[in-house]
Amino acid sequence: MHDCSTDIFLNDANAENSMGELLEKGLTRRNAPVDWTLSDSVLDRMRAYNAYHTLQPVTLEGLFERAVWTVLSPQEYYEKQSLTTAKIIHYGLMSPEAILENRDKLKLRRALGGVQGPNQKRERIVQLAEWWYQSGIPKTVEHVSKMNWPAWTPNGSKRQVFAKSLRDLIADETPGMSLKCASMWLGHTGVPYFPPIDIWMVRFLNDTYKMGFREADYVTTGQLPSKEYAVAENLLAKFARKKHLTPYDCQVALWVAATGWQKQDFIDVRKVAEQMNAQQQFYSHDEIELMKPKKSREPETVRKKQVKQKAVVDVRQKPLFRH
């Protein structure tokens, strides 16, 4: 896989600067003109995206990581979504048990710092962790991923009806997952029938079919209503068949065409997490206070008296970061 060499620092200022630089050099934003042509170059990038993002093999651990990545996707750009996932891995939180243990602790809040709606997304991820072992859906998805999914099945076939029922059940019952997120999650396990209808697909359908769908602004408008979502999904599936693509592959192809995603834009969250582990880690004020020896956490009046008596500052104290 592509080795992401982006430097990610964990203190707030450097994190914002490095992430800001990455976003500036990153993918096309919503207000840019879009060429929807599915050229050979676009299809090559679509295949590269799928090769990097399809889970192989599919395990419960991998499914949970990808579920968290998917829950982070609303209102978020690909870069920040992936980098935030890497931070969660870096802090040792990428399991239901770790998230529940740290649900109210600073570590989880810091991992989600900088995302859109951090409190809401933290709540959704905590709910996802609570739900994970209580539901049979994760194991069902793990089992389903091992099935042979042909690129096309007749409308109304048992296989297609089953897959759609599972996707709708995931959207209904999984915390933080809409129809779009459920389609994305299944797509990463190899189920090819459901295109995630994101803002790019709304724009494509409006440009191509003059549908007049309202774009999400996440203030007054979010995901398409269920009836409009079904219409959008069917239109995209018909377009995909004309292009000899699966609905999911067609969505990915249109997405990379719209955003300009290239192979070098892939962010391997595990490798980025390793880079974070190798870099200096900066602590918050609360963490620093907890790490100090007990005698240095004496009342302020006592410390002032000690300073006056010594009249010397010890400059050999330990730095506030570790390697």
Side-chain angles (χ1 to χ4, degrees):
M1 285 190 173
H2 174 73
D3 185 3
C4 177
S5 58
T6 306
D7 291 328
I8 309 300
F9 298 96
L10 300 184
N11 64 323
D12 293 340
N14 286 333
E16 287 301 317
N17 290 338
S18 59
M19 188 175 290
E21 290 173 5
L22 179 64
L23 296 181
E24 282 297 317
K25 296 184 291 186
L27 307 182
T28 305
R29 300 310 179 217
R30 289 204 290 257
N31 56 357
V34 177
D35 179 4
W36 299 109
T37 304
L38 299 186
S39 62
D40 290 342
S41 171
V42 168
L43 295 178
D44 284 344
R45 287 187 280 136
M46 175 268 291
R47 285 186 280 270
Y49 179 95
N50 285 341
Y52 287 141
H53 292 87
T54 301
L55 286 170
Q56 294 177 343
V58 177
T59 62
L60 285 176
E61 292 77 13
L63 281 173
F64 183 76
E65 179 182 312
R66 199 55 54 87
V68 170
W69 187 85
T70 303
V71 168
L72 289 170
S73 66
Q75 297 177 262
E76 214 59 79
Y77 293 124
Y78 171 84
E79 300 96 333
K80 189 174 287 188
Q81 172 189 0
S82 298
L83 294 175
T84 301
T85 303
K87 286 172 68 177
I88 293 172
I89 296 170
H90 164 70
Y91 285 124
L93 299 175
M94 193 52 81
S95 71
E97 297 87 351
I99 286 175
L100 293 178
E101 183 179 345
N102 292 275
R103 62 192 304 165
D104 296 317
K105 295 182 180 178
L106 186 62
K107 195 187 293 187
L108 182 56
R109 295 179 186 275
R110 290 185 63 208
L112 296 174
V115 301
Q116 296 290 334
N119 290 333
Q120 183 184 53
K121 286 182 177 174
R122 181 179 65 86
E123 183 178 346
R124 288 175 178 174
I125 289 173
V126 168
Q127 290 172 348
L128 177 72
E130 291 174 332
W131 167 89
W132 190 257
Y133 291 123
Q134 298 174 7
S135 172
I137 288 178
K139 288 187 176 180
T140 301
V141 173
E142 181 187 29
H143 174 73
V144 161
S145 70
K146 296 176 173 60
M147 297 170 61
N148 179 31
W149 293 98
W152 291 100
T153 60
N155 287 333
S157 68
K158 289 183 179 179
R159 186 178 291 264
Q160 192 178 67
V161 169
F162 167 74
K164 187 176 185 306
S165 298
L166 177 60
R167 192 282 305 270
D168 293 350
L169 183 66
I170 292 169
D172 287 340
E173 294 195 3
T174 307
M177 286 214 189
S178 59
L179 287 168
K180 182 200 84 170
C181 292
S183 300
M184 187 185 299
W185 195 39
L186 284 178
H188 285 197
T189 69
V191 180
Y193 304 138
F194 309 111
I197 305 298
D198 60 5
I199 194 165
W200 293 108
M201 297 309 103
V202 170
R203 291 192 70 190
F204 166 75
L205 294 171
N206 286 342
D207 290 349
T208 306
Y209 296 101
K210 312 301 180 187
M211 293 304 298
F213 293 137
R214 292 183 62 186
E215 292 186 17
D217 59 14
Y218 300 103
V219 178
T220 60
T221 307
Q223 177 184 276
L224 291 176
S226 56
K227 289 184 179 180
E228 289 187 358
Y229 193 99
V231 171
E233 211 170 42
N234 289 334
L235 283 173
L236 206 57
K238 290 178 181 178
F239 178 82
R241 187 179 287 272
K242 290 179 182 178
K243 297 296 181 179
H244 307 289
L245 296 169
T246 68
Y248 178 77
D249 285 350
C250 184
Q251 189 273 349
V252 174
L254 291 168
W255 183 83
V256 300
T259 62
W261 186 91
Q262 305 279 345
K263 292 180 182 179
Q264 59 267 29
D265 293 316
F266 169 64
I267 297 177
D268 186 330
V269 297
R270 288 282 167 180
K271 288 189 176 181
V272 174
E274 290 174 6
Q275 291 175 7
M276 291 177 174
N277 292 337
Q279 291 171 355
Q280 295 175 345
Q281 175 169 346
F282 290 78
Y283 294 93
S284 71
H285 174 77
D286 291 341
E287 289 172 318
I288 292 168
E289 288 297 313
L290 290 173
M291 287 187 292
K292 288 180 180 179
K294 288 184 178 179
K295 63 180 180 180
S296 69
R297 293 204 299 266
E298 294 171 344
E300 185 67 21
T301 53
V302 176
R303 287 204 297 271
K304 285 182 178 179
K305 289 181 181 179
Q306 291 176 345
V307 170
K308 286 181 179 179
Q309 290 172 358
K310 293 180 179 178
V312 176
V313 178
D314 183 7
V315 296
R316 294 175 298 171
Q317 56 185 312
K318 293 184 178 179
L320 302 184
F321 54 86
R322 65 183 178 194
H323 295 280

